[in-house]
Amino acid sequence: MSVSASAAPTAGGRPRLVPPSRWSVAGQTFALQVLVAVLVVGAGLLGAGVQAQRSATAEATARATAVAESVAATPEVVKAVQGTDRSRVLQPYAEGVRRETATDFVVVMSPTGTRYSHPDPAQVGRQFIGHIAAAAAGGTVVEDYTGTLGPSRRVVVPVEDGGRVVGLVAVGIRKAAVAQRLRGQVPGLLLAGLAAALLSGVGTALVARRVRRQTHGLGEQQLTQMYEYYDAVLHAVTEGLLLVDPDGRLILANDEAVRLLGLPDDARGRPVESLGLAPQLQQALTDPQPREDELHVTEARVVVLNKAPAVRAGRRLGSVVTLRDRTDLEDLTGELDSARGLTEALRSQAHESSNRLHTVVSLIELGHPERALAFATEELAASQVLTDRVVGAVQEPALTALLLGKAAQAGERGIDFEVGEGAHWPENLVPARDLVTIVGNLVDNALDAVATVDGPRRVRFDAHVEEGSSVLVVEDSGPGLAPDEVERAFERGYSTKEAAGAGRRGLGLALVAQSVHRLGGDLRVEGPPGARFVVRLPMGAGA
């Protein structure tokens, strides 16, 4: 298992050292973890050695203290230090205690330090080498000192009789013995350190292997460049781009996607259902099905959605979604449809005018000039009345042109198009583009609704200003909408009519609802019988 790349072959086949900065992330991780493991194990061994030394010294001190206090409390010792032949009694006794307790010396002495016993009999009667003042005063001396037997850990305690210090007892353990005891613990410490190093090495190798798999063996500079380039490309593309994981959480959204969908700043990592998107758009983003060139309506935009699964090495990572803004194009398409309809209506009117002109000429040629005049005047009066009513009621030029065009379309299709008696719409109340979108789609919907009904086919437009609001009304004599269809009628893609042409079916009313919402107004539907759409907008909406 390779976890690092510290060498690379040269042209001659010999390995060439690679600088650590060019190692893969896994290799750098492995090297750093090995270094940390070595430092930790070394520090642990050093600490364990220091602790073992302290423990051995403390154990020697405790053992020497216990032996010294035990000897000092022995009645025979108390009696002997006050007798006349002290060395003869105390020397064999002290040596016996030394051998039994595995200490290096047990010295019984006078309060002034004259030895009564010593492992080296030649030292008996000589002055004790070390500090005894605290013990002579009734205390205890614990110290490291170099005496006749070399460096040792020693304890000196008083021998008391009736509260009076009558002698001293010193018990010591040489430093060499303490060191030897410590050396006996070194193999155990080294074994523990080796086990820790092996466990650390195995763990480090496993971690490095996992890092290598997750980073695909890339180095630090490669990952940095990849992130910088991908981030720059992500924010530079003009299409909206989203990545949704299999659980329906938004993993990534570029600037254009945030703008098109109006996403909050904390959208990343949240479930799509919590982002406040339209239900159809939520379903399109979260279900596993691929989608191609679907139109969706948000609160402010019309977007084209494409979706494809994101798969790597047979594992599904989620879905990649692209969004294209079609709002302006959709508005232009609607205006183009209106212009095309007006053109067709004018062409039909020209054809009908030609027929009427031939009729008038024929009546004159047949000697009926009065009937010819009445026929021509009747047609002209009917058309002029509607034109005058539209021009007089609507001061907004774009809306006037739209209504005249729709009236011509209605006449061509045999539909009565009416304008309310008291209709009134001042100029500059609502942006012309929004006004054309709202009225044009409502009238188109009404014309389609009454086109196939039996009986009267009528579409009526009305507009007025009341109580600080501007009101638009479009009603028809069609079948109307059932109560359960009212809410769905404003959803993208829903239509009671057969699909047609350029994929715009089911989009008109959704665009109306979007424009009304953006302008801060409300939309109400009444009926059946018939359908009556009432749009109420605040004064100066969209200014």
Side-chain angles (χ1 to χ4, degrees):
M1 177 178 60
S2 174
V3 294
S4 65
S6 59
T10 62
R14 291 175 299 177
R16 173 175 53 86
L17 293 178
V18 177
S21 61
R22 297 182 58 187
W23 293 359
S24 67
V25 173
Q28 294 184 26
T29 302
F30 179 77
L32 289 175
Q33 288 185 323
V34 167
L35 178 61
V36 170
V38 170
L39 292 177
V40 169
V41 171
L45 288 176
L46 180 62
V50 173
Q51 182 63 31
Q53 184 177 12
R54 290 179 178 177
S55 177
T57 301
E59 189 272 338
T61 301
R63 186 152 56 95
T65 301
V67 172
E69 291 178 346
S70 177
V71 171
T74 302
E76 290 83 355
V77 174
V78 175
K79 181 179 179 182
V81 295
Q82 299 180 72
T84 56
D85 197 3
R86 303 179 182 87
S87 296
R88 186 180 63 81
V89 176
L90 294 174
Q91 175 69 9
Y93 175 79
E95 285 300 295
V97 171
R98 179 181 66 81
R99 289 189 293 270
E100 291 177 1
T101 59
T103 54
D104 290 307
F105 64 84
V106 176
V107 176
V108 182
M109 68 191 91
S110 68
T112 59
T114 301
R115 300 188 185 103
Y116 299 144
S117 67
H118 195 276
D120 181 7
Q123 300 295 329
V124 175
R126 295 183 179 181
Q127 185 67 25
F128 179 78
I129 301 174
H131 300 92
I132 60 173
T140 301
V141 175
V142 178
E143 64 176 352
D144 292 327
Y145 201 86
T146 301
T148 57
L149 300 178
S152 63
R153 184 72 168 179
R154 58 180 64 185
V155 176
V156 183
V157 298
V159 179
E160 297 180 339
D161 185 14
R164 182 171 58 89
V165 176
V166 295
L168 303 175
V169 176
V171 177
I173 300 175
R174 289 181 300 173
K175 285 289 187 177
V178 175
Q180 184 178 3
R181 182 179 181 85
L182 179 61
R183 284 193 295 271
Q185 299 179 5
V186 169
L189 293 176
L190 292 177
L191 184 62
L194 179 61
L198 290 176
L199 290 176
S200 178
V202 172
T204 298
L206 293 176
V207 171
R209 181 180 180 182
R210 178 178 177 84
V211 172
R212 186 180 186 85
R213 184 172 64 251
Q214 292 179 335
T215 59
H216 305 287
L218 296 176
E220 175 187 355
Q221 295 180 353
Q222 293 173 302
L223 287 176
T224 301
Q225 291 178 351
M226 182 182 298
Y227 172 80
E228 291 175 348
Y229 292 156
Y230 284 6
D231 187 67
V233 171
L234 180 67
H235 292 287
V237 294
T238 56
E239 291 188 355
L241 180 64
L242 302 101
L243 179 61
V244 181
D245 71 6
D247 296 327
R249 291 184 177 273
L250 181 64
I251 302 302
L252 179 148
N254 69 348
D255 298 343
E256 182 67 4
V258 172
R259 184 186 72 85
L260 292 178
L261 300 182
L263 299 177
D265 295 336
D266 61 344
R268 185 173 180 178
R270 288 173 53 183
V272 173
E273 290 79 2
S274 68
L275 301 179
L277 303 177
Q280 294 83 5
L281 187 55
Q282 290 182 15
Q283 182 179 1
L285 294 177
T286 55
D287 67 25
Q289 301 300 323
R291 296 172 183 264
E292 184 176 355
D293 292 337
E294 282 192 357
L295 282 178
H296 287 269
V297 179
T298 68
E299 290 187 356
R301 317 298 298 175
V302 178
V303 297
V304 180
L305 181 145
N306 284 274
K307 177 181 172 185
V311 180
R312 178 176 175 82
R315 183 168 62 95
R316 186 172 183 271
L317 303 178
S319 301
V320 178
V321 181
T322 59
L323 302 172
R324 298 195 307 274
D325 191 359
R326 192 174 165 175
T327 306
D328 295 336
L329 178 60
E330 200 62 39
D331 289 341
L332 292 175
T333 303
E335 294 176 9
L336 178 60
D337 288 346
S338 298
R340 186 180 293 115
L342 180 58
T343 302
E344 292 296 328
L346 292 175
R347 184 180 295 114
S348 298
Q349 284 186 342
H351 185 269
E352 287 300 312
S353 297
S354 177
N355 290 336
R356 294 189 186 102
L357 180 59
H358 284 298
T359 301
V360 171
V361 172
S362 298
L363 286 174
I364 294 174
E365 289 177 347
L366 292 174
H368 301 289
E370 294 83 4
R371 296 184 65 181
L373 180 61
F375 179 80
T377 305
E378 179 183 358
E379 291 296 326
L380 181 61
S383 176
Q384 190 62 40
V385 167
L386 179 59
T387 301
D388 292 343
R389 180 170 294 177
V390 171
V391 173
V394 179
Q395 280 76 49
E396 179 65 54
L399 183 56
T400 301
L402 176 69
L403 292 176
L404 291 176
K406 296 302 180 185
Q409 291 182 34
E412 171 65 19
R413 299 170 69 176
I415 301 171
D416 294 331
F417 187 83
E418 303 174 359
V419 176
E421 289 287 345
H424 175 65
W425 189 266
E427 191 175 0
N428 298 326
L429 282 182
V430 175
R433 192 173 76 169
D434 291 314
L435 191 60
V436 169
T437 297
I438 295 172
V439 177
N441 282 291
L442 289 179
V443 172
D444 284 341
N445 186 73
L447 293 176
D448 291 341
V450 301
T452 58
V453 300
D454 297 328
R457 295 188 294 174
R458 178 180 57 84
V459 173
R460 184 174 184 271
F461 169 80
D462 197 0
H464 56 275
V465 177
E466 60 177 33
E467 299 178 357
S469 298
S470 50
V471 181
L472 296 168
V473 180
V474 176
E475 55 185 314
D476 62 70
S477 59
L481 292 173
D484 61 337
E485 293 180 329
V486 173
E487 291 293 333
R488 297 182 60 196
F490 298 100
E491 296 176 358
R492 182 205 63 83
Y494 177 79
S495 177
T496 59
K497 301 178 284 293
E498 295 182 359
R504 290 177 51 80
R505 187 67 75 196
L507 190 61
L509 290 182
L511 290 173
V512 171
Q514 176 198 95
S515 298
V516 172
H517 178 79
R518 185 170 65 248
L519 295 172
D522 64 80
L523 176 60
R524 187 174 73 254
V525 183
E526 300 174 357
R532 187 170 188 265
F533 291 82
V534 181
V535 177
R536 186 178 296 273
L537 302 173
M539 296 294 291

